[in-house]
Amino acid sequence: MEKHVKLFYLKSCPYCRQAFEFIDELKRQDVYKNIEIETIEESEQPAIAERYDYYYVPTFYVNEEKRHEGAVTRGQVETVFREALSSAGAGRQVFTAKEVRNVSPRNGQE
């Protein structure tokens, strides 16, 4: 069952631009090409953005459930896409990029 993906971003955000690059790469694949992504530029659509619980951009929601918040890798965008294509996405815990860094610092660095 395909689900709706909502992406909150800011034009000035370098992490958001990178997320869009990952999205473009992934949507070239047949499996992901039909995923519907609604993009909301939070400074241009503050009334919509204020209704959602997030702090960092980019932030992805799948079927109105927050799936990722903050700087993102290609693999994390692909995980969001896979969740959008399956019904198994419910009930998973969401971590911000900052929380992930605090839980598992790389090479002993935060």
Side-chain angles (χ1 to χ4, degrees):
M1 176 175 137
E2 188 172 320
K3 296 181 181 178
H4 181 77
V5 175
K6 198 170 282 193
L7 170 61
F8 291 89
Y9 74 100
L10 286 168
K11 288 180 183 176
S12 61
C13 169
Y15 302 112
C16 299
R17 287 192 294 274
Q18 188 174 44
F20 279 112
E21 289 174 17
F22 296 145
I23 289 167
D24 290 342
E25 285 176 29
L26 290 166
K27 285 191 61 90
R28 286 188 214 117
Q29 297 179 31
D30 285 342
V31 68
Y32 301 126
K33 69 180 180 182
N34 293 322
I35 291 178
E36 177 187 343
I37 301 174
E38 178 183 1
T39 57
I40 296 118
E41 208 291 351
E42 69 173 39
S43 68
E44 294 175 0
Q45 297 174 294
I48 295 172
E50 289 172 3
R51 294 187 304 211
Y52 289 83
D53 180 30
Y54 70 95
Y55 188 77
Y56 299 105
V57 289
T59 295
F60 291 86
Y61 281 79
V62 175
N63 223 29
E64 299 298 320
E65 186 176 326
K66 186 169 31 173
R67 304 313 310 146
H68 184 86
E69 179 174 0
V72 68
T73 66
R74 183 184 185 278
Q76 290 166 323
V77 174
E78 188 165 15
T79 297
V80 169
F81 279 14
R82 276 183 284 183
E83 290 176 5
L85 294 174
S86 74
S87 59
R92 293 190 181 158
Q93 189 169 1
V94 177
F95 293 99
T96 65
K98 182 178 178 182
E99 289 169 329
V100 170
R101 282 195 303 272
N102 289 335
V103 170
S104 59
R106 294 182 181 164
N107 301 325
Q109 300 173 353
E110 291 191 26

